[in-house]
Amino acid sequence: MEVSNLSGATPGIAFLPGPESCSDSPISGRGVGSTPGGLILPSPPFSVFTVLVVTLLVLLIAATFVWNLLVLVTILRVRTFHRVPHNLVASTAVSDVLVAALVMPLSLVSELSAGRRWQLGRSLCHVWISFDVLCCTASIWNVAAIALDRYWTITRHLQYTLRTRRRASALMIGVTWALSALIALAPLLFGWGEAYDARLQRCQVSQEPSYAVFSTCGAFYLPLAVVLFVYWKIYKAAKFRFGRRRRAVVPLPATMQAKEAPQEAEMVFTARCRTTVTFQTSGDSWREQKEKRAAVMVGILIGVFALCWIPFFLTELISPFCACSLPPIWKSIFLWLGYSNSFFNPLIYTAFNKNYNNAFKSLFTKQR
């Protein structure tokens, strides 16, 4: 989502530090300077800091696009991924790929333009802002959908069957994209503010106060409340389950001998026959280990999501109601910090799923 630019009040781009000029002369803002003797000298258009920042942003865009595209290709090519919950991960990857392909490049162009002015016309401004709000909102709500799926998997693993999960995930994906489209297209459909200012050459999300409340609550604060509540419930359920672990005891034939390993938390039962049966009677079961990994993954996912987007949405909610102005450099930092969440999402999914790592290796091996 694009931040509100103050290019009329603050000339100069956010990533190009340097003195600001308030002169209306033709020389102003064209990258030239003057000496005390009146000699006009050209000033360098980009500093080393600017080049470094732009390089990092280009790498961020490329890495976000490639990594999410790799997740999508893996899900499409591996048959075992054609089921829940991988369709939720695929939906998130689609929204993040669109952020990297359609939103971030035009945002970088806006950052590099003189005075952060939008010089690509009104129509492209509306298209860009609409995709910005649509894709970022969908990415945020997909995180909430994944958290809900993990919560129901842990707390209702008997009732939450594969068939139920398919229906629930399809419903959540549909609601996610429908709500995102409503928030993105509301200004165009209902005349809820204007994104493009021809006089100032400014392209930004509508600053109508009522729309600011509607868009920020629908796109961030509501899903944030959902994921925080869900993770609190996951933590309570996991703590209760791990604190009161129940084990089933199976009666054994009298011909079996039991011996306890001295330093292992398991009991080994050896029958007087050709087979040896070993099972664990203490420690974590397979399901409990899976639930722990799911809880940790959701916790990290929510933590990174909150850290990336809270600064931006706090600014977006306060700005239309406050006469104060945040420096453009901080607006740019908050905006790109939010965009970076699309880069971290696939990293978190794959880090806690060995199947993705194995699929990546097999994918590259086949390509060779």
Side-chain angles (χ1 to χ4, degrees):
M1 298 180 178
E2 174 63 11
V3 293
S4 56
N5 300 332
L6 302 177
S7 45
T10 310
I13 63 175
F15 291 136
L16 298 181
E20 297 181 356
S21 173
C22 297
S23 172
D24 293 331
S25 64
I27 299 176
S28 174
R30 296 193 180 183
V32 295
S34 61
T35 63
L39 178 62
I40 298 178
L41 297 175
S43 60
F46 297 105
S47 65
V48 175
F49 175 76
T50 301
V51 173
L52 178 62
V53 171
V54 171
T55 302
L56 291 177
L57 293 182
V58 170
L59 291 176
L60 175 64
I61 294 173
T64 302
F65 179 80
V66 171
W67 197 250
N68 283 283
L69 187 63
L70 183 61
V71 171
L72 281 177
V73 171
T74 302
I75 293 176
L76 291 175
R77 293 193 60 176
V78 179
R79 292 184 178 181
T80 56
F81 288 163
H82 296 177
R83 57 184 175 84
V84 179
H86 300 287
N87 55 352
L88 293 173
V89 176
S91 178
T92 308
V94 168
S95 61
D96 291 335
V97 162
L98 293 177
V99 169
L102 302 177
V103 178
M104 297 170 73
L106 288 177
S107 183
L108 182 58
V109 171
S110 177
E111 295 285 357
L112 294 176
S113 63
R116 301 190 73 213
R117 294 182 177 89
W118 182 263
Q119 301 175 354
L120 302 178
R122 183 174 183 269
S123 298
L124 188 55
C125 171
H126 286 164
V127 171
W128 175 48
I129 292 297
S130 298
F131 273 108
D132 191 349
V133 178
L134 170 68
C135 299
C136 292
T137 303
S139 178
I140 292 171
W141 272 106
N142 278 316
V143 172
I146 291 175
L148 280 171
D149 179 76
R150 296 298 190 270
Y151 166 65
W152 289 327
T153 302
I154 293 176
T155 59
R156 304 177 184 179
H157 60 274
L158 296 180
Q159 300 89 352
Y160 198 50
T161 60
L162 182 60
R163 184 177 181 180
T164 305
R165 295 181 72 185
R166 286 175 177 169
R167 292 179 178 177
S169 63
L171 178 61
M172 288 189 292
I173 291 173
V175 171
T176 290
W177 287 98
L179 179 60
S180 302
L182 175 62
I183 296 174
L185 299 177
L188 298 178
L189 296 177
F190 309 114
W192 214 344
E194 176 59 42
Y196 180 68
D197 189 332
R199 183 177 63 86
L200 299 176
Q201 289 185 315
R202 181 173 60 188
C203 183
Q204 61 180 356
V205 176
S206 171
Q207 295 298 290
E208 186 72 23
S210 56
Y211 178 74
V213 174
F214 168 74
S215 61
T216 55
C217 291
F220 178 72
Y221 292 108
L222 182 57
L224 177 64
V226 170
V227 295
L228 291 179
F229 173 77
V230 164
Y231 188 66
W232 176 66
K233 297 291 287 184
I234 289 176
Y235 175 77
K236 286 187 62 178
K239 186 177 181 181
F240 176 80
R241 186 184 299 274
F242 300 150
R244 298 183 61 181
R245 187 180 299 132
R246 295 181 180 180
R247 305 175 182 85
V249 179
V250 181
L252 300 173
T255 58
M256 286 192 173
Q257 297 177 348
K259 62 178 181 179
E260 183 178 0
Q263 297 181 353
E264 297 290 338
E266 62 179 12
M267 196 73 71
V268 180
F269 293 88
T270 305
R272 292 179 178 175
C273 56
R274 297 180 180 179
T275 60
T276 301
V277 181
T278 304
F279 61 91
Q280 191 170 340
T281 60
S282 63
D284 295 334
S285 66
W286 173 83
R287 174 171 291 278
E288 289 168 343
Q289 292 175 357
K290 184 178 179 181
E291 291 176 357
K292 279 185 177 181
R293 287 196 302 269
V296 172
M297 188 275 288
V298 172
I300 296 177
L301 187 69
I302 293 173
V304 172
F305 155 74
L307 290 176
C308 288
W309 281 115
I310 281 179
F312 172 80
F313 278 100
L314 281 178
T315 304
E316 283 294 288
L317 181 60
I318 295 173
S319 294
F321 299 94
C322 180
C324 55
S325 176
L326 192 69
I329 182 65
W330 286 106
K331 291 186 178 183
S332 297
I333 291 174
F334 293 163
L335 174 66
W336 286 90
L337 183 62
Y339 286 157
S340 68
N341 185 239
S342 296
F343 168 75
F344 290 116
N345 282 340
L347 294 181
I348 297 172
Y349 305 144
T350 56
F352 288 88
N353 195 318
K354 295 181 179 179
N355 294 330
Y356 278 105
N357 297 327
N358 296 332
F360 291 158
K361 293 178 182 178
S362 63
L363 183 64
F364 288 117
T365 302
K366 290 180 181 180
Q367 289 179 351
R368 292 178 183 176

